[in-house]
Amino acid sequence: MSTQRTIRDGLTYLIVNQHDRLIGQNLSQLHLYPGHQNYDDAYQEGCLAYAKAYQTFTQSPEDHPDHFRAYAYRQIKWALIDWLRKTKRQLDHQAASNDEVDPWLLTPDPKTDLAIANAEIQTTIAKLYYFSTPLQQQYLDLILREDLSNGEIAKRLAFRGPLSMASAGACKK
Protein backbone atom coordinates (compact mmCIF):
# COMPACT_ATOMS: atom_id res chain seq x y z
CA MET A 1 0.00 0.00 0.00
CA SER A 2 1.54 3.27 -1.10
CA THR A 3 0.71 6.50 0.68
CA GLN A 4 1.28 9.82 -1.00
CA ARG A 5 3.79 12.00 0.83
CA THR A 6 3.21 15.75 1.02
CA ILE A 7 5.45 18.80 1.26
CA ARG A 8 4.35 19.12 4.88
CA ASP A 9 5.51 15.54 5.54
CA GLY A 10 8.86 16.43 3.99
CA LEU A 11 9.29 19.53 6.15
CA THR A 12 8.37 17.51 9.23
CA TYR A 13 10.89 14.81 8.27
CA LEU A 14 13.52 17.52 7.77
CA ILE A 15 12.97 18.96 11.25
CA VAL A 16 12.55 15.66 13.10
CA ASN A 17 15.67 14.09 11.59
CA GLN A 18 17.72 17.30 11.69
CA HIS A 19 18.75 17.01 8.05
CA ASP A 20 19.25 20.76 7.71
CA ARG A 21 22.97 20.00 7.38
CA LEU A 22 22.26 18.95 3.78
CA ILE A 23 20.97 22.44 3.11
CA GLY A 24 23.89 24.06 4.94
CA GLN A 25 26.42 21.99 2.97
CA ASN A 26 24.87 23.03 -0.33
CA LEU A 27 24.77 26.68 0.70
CA SER A 28 28.42 26.66 1.72
CA GLN A 29 29.40 24.99 -1.59
CA LEU A 30 27.62 27.85 -3.33
CA HIS A 31 29.50 30.33 -1.11
CA LEU A 32 26.33 31.48 0.64
CA TYR A 33 27.07 31.88 4.34
CA PRO A 34 25.04 33.43 7.17
CA GLY A 35 25.24 37.17 6.72
CA HIS A 36 25.08 36.98 2.91
CA GLN A 37 22.21 39.06 1.55
CA ASN A 38 20.53 36.01 -0.02
CA TYR A 39 21.26 33.46 2.73
CA ASP A 40 17.83 33.38 4.41
CA ASP A 41 15.95 33.15 1.12
CA ALA A 42 18.33 30.48 -0.15
CA TYR A 43 17.94 28.50 3.08
CA GLN A 44 14.15 28.54 2.69
CA GLU A 45 14.49 27.43 -0.94
CA GLY A 46 16.71 24.59 0.27
CA CYS A 47 14.08 23.52 2.81
CA LEU A 48 11.42 23.47 0.11
CA ALA A 49 13.69 21.50 -2.21
CA TYR A 50 14.26 18.96 0.58
CA ALA A 51 10.51 18.64 1.14
CA LYS A 52 9.92 18.16 -2.59
CA ALA A 53 12.67 15.53 -2.68
CA TYR A 54 10.93 13.74 0.21
CA GLN A 55 7.67 13.89 -1.72
CA THR A 56 9.11 12.59 -5.02
CA PHE A 57 11.55 9.97 -3.70
CA THR A 58 10.44 6.68 -5.26
CA GLN A 59 11.38 4.51 -2.29
CA SER A 60 10.58 4.97 1.38
CA PRO A 61 12.96 7.57 2.89
CA GLU A 62 12.60 5.83 6.25
CA ASP A 63 13.62 2.45 4.82
CA HIS A 64 16.45 3.81 2.62
CA PRO A 65 17.85 6.81 4.52
CA ASP A 66 21.28 6.84 2.84
CA HIS A 67 19.82 6.76 -0.67
CA PHE A 68 17.33 9.43 0.28
CA ARG A 69 20.00 11.75 1.72
CA ALA A 70 22.04 11.46 -1.49
CA TYR A 71 18.93 12.10 -3.58
CA ALA A 72 17.86 15.05 -1.41
CA TYR A 73 21.36 16.54 -1.51
CA ARG A 74 21.34 16.56 -5.34
CA GLN A 75 17.80 17.93 -5.49
CA ILE A 76 18.68 20.74 -3.08
CA LYS A 77 21.82 21.58 -5.05
CA TRP A 78 19.99 21.77 -8.37
CA ALA A 79 17.12 23.77 -6.88
CA LEU A 80 19.50 26.29 -5.32
CA ILE A 81 21.47 26.69 -8.55
CA ASP A 82 18.22 27.28 -10.44
CA TRP A 83 17.06 29.74 -7.77
CA LEU A 84 20.36 31.66 -7.96
CA ARG A 85 20.10 31.87 -11.74
CA LYS A 86 16.50 33.05 -11.54
CA THR A 87 17.40 35.68 -8.93
CA LYS A 88 20.27 36.93 -11.07
CA ARG A 89 18.04 37.15 -14.16
CA GLN A 90 15.46 39.12 -12.18
CA LEU A 91 18.08 41.57 -10.99
CA ASP A 92 19.46 41.92 -14.50
CA HIS A 93 15.96 42.51 -15.85
CA GLN A 94 15.24 45.13 -13.19
CA ALA A 95 18.48 46.88 -14.03
CA ALA A 96 17.64 46.96 -17.73
CA SER A 97 14.03 48.08 -17.34
CA ASN A 98 14.26 50.65 -14.56
CA ASP A 99 16.49 53.66 -15.23
CA GLU A 100 15.29 55.66 -12.21
CA VAL A 101 16.51 53.18 -9.59
CA ASP A 102 19.47 54.11 -7.43
CA PRO A 103 22.53 52.54 -9.15
CA TRP A 104 23.88 51.34 -5.81
CA LEU A 105 20.90 49.02 -5.47
CA LEU A 106 21.59 47.46 -8.87
CA THR A 107 25.27 46.79 -8.40
CA PRO A 108 25.76 43.11 -9.22
CA ASP A 109 26.78 40.96 -6.30
CA PRO A 110 30.12 39.35 -7.23
CA LYS A 111 29.58 36.66 -4.59
CA THR A 112 26.37 35.52 -6.30
CA ASP A 113 28.05 35.52 -9.72
CA LEU A 114 30.96 33.56 -8.27
CA ALA A 115 28.57 31.12 -6.60
CA ILE A 116 26.79 30.46 -9.89
CA ALA A 117 30.06 30.02 -11.76
CA ASN A 118 31.44 27.66 -9.09
CA ALA A 119 28.25 25.62 -9.09
CA GLU A 120 28.36 25.27 -12.87
CA ILE A 121 32.02 24.23 -12.74
CA GLN A 122 31.33 21.65 -10.02
CA THR A 123 28.40 20.26 -12.00
CA THR A 124 30.53 20.00 -15.14
CA ILE A 125 33.36 18.26 -13.26
CA ALA A 126 30.89 15.83 -11.69
CA LYS A 127 29.49 14.94 -15.12
CA LEU A 128 32.99 14.57 -16.57
CA TYR A 129 34.00 12.34 -13.66
CA TYR A 130 30.86 10.21 -14.05
CA PHE A 131 31.53 9.50 -17.74
CA SER A 132 35.29 8.88 -17.32
CA THR A 133 37.10 5.56 -17.09
CA PRO A 134 38.75 4.66 -13.76
CA LEU A 135 42.15 5.74 -15.09
CA GLN A 136 40.71 9.04 -16.30
CA GLN A 137 39.06 9.52 -12.90
CA GLN A 138 42.40 8.91 -11.21
CA TYR A 139 44.01 11.48 -13.55
CA LEU A 140 41.26 14.01 -12.73
CA ASP A 141 41.77 13.44 -9.01
CA LEU A 142 45.51 14.04 -9.33
CA ILE A 143 45.02 17.20 -11.37
CA LEU A 144 42.08 18.72 -9.51
CA ARG A 145 42.60 17.62 -5.93
CA GLU A 146 46.38 17.35 -5.70
CA ASP A 147 47.21 19.99 -8.33
CA LEU A 148 49.95 17.89 -9.92
CA SER A 149 51.57 18.62 -13.27
CA ASN A 150 51.41 16.14 -16.16
CA GLY A 151 54.99 15.05 -15.46
CA GLU A 152 54.24 14.42 -11.78
CA ILE A 153 51.12 12.50 -12.72
CA ALA A 154 53.07 10.37 -15.21
CA LYS A 155 55.61 9.50 -12.51
CA ARG A 156 52.88 8.72 -9.98
CA LEU A 157 51.03 6.48 -12.42
CA ALA A 158 54.27 5.03 -13.88
CA PHE A 159 53.01 5.98 -17.33
CA ARG A 160 55.35 5.10 -20.17
CA GLY A 161 53.31 6.65 -22.94
CA PRO A 162 52.41 5.43 -26.43
CA LEU A 163 55.76 6.28 -28.02
CA SER A 164 58.00 3.40 -28.99
CA MET A 165 61.73 3.80 -29.31
CA ALA A 166 61.45 4.13 -33.10
CA SER A 167 58.80 6.83 -33.00
CA ALA A 168 60.65 8.63 -30.20
CA GLY A 169 63.72 8.83 -32.44
CA ALA A 170 61.55 10.17 -35.29
CA CYS A 171 60.27 12.93 -33.02
CA LYS A 172 63.78 14.19 -32.33
CA LYS A 173 64.52 14.86 -36.01
Side-chain angles (χ1 to χ4, degrees), residues 95-109:
S97 66
N98 192 353
D99 295 334
E100 297 179 15
V101 175
D102 183 5
W104 290 102
L105 295 176
L106 297 177
T107 304
D109 182 9

Side-chain angles (χ1 to χ4, degrees), residues 86-102 105-106:
K86 180 181 174 186
T87 302
K88 183 174 181 341
R89 278 193 308 270
Q90 287 173 343
L91 288 174
D92 290 346
H93 180 71
Q94 285 175 354
S97 66
N98 192 353
D99 295 334
E100 297 179 15
V101 175
D102 183 5
L105 295 176
L106 297 177

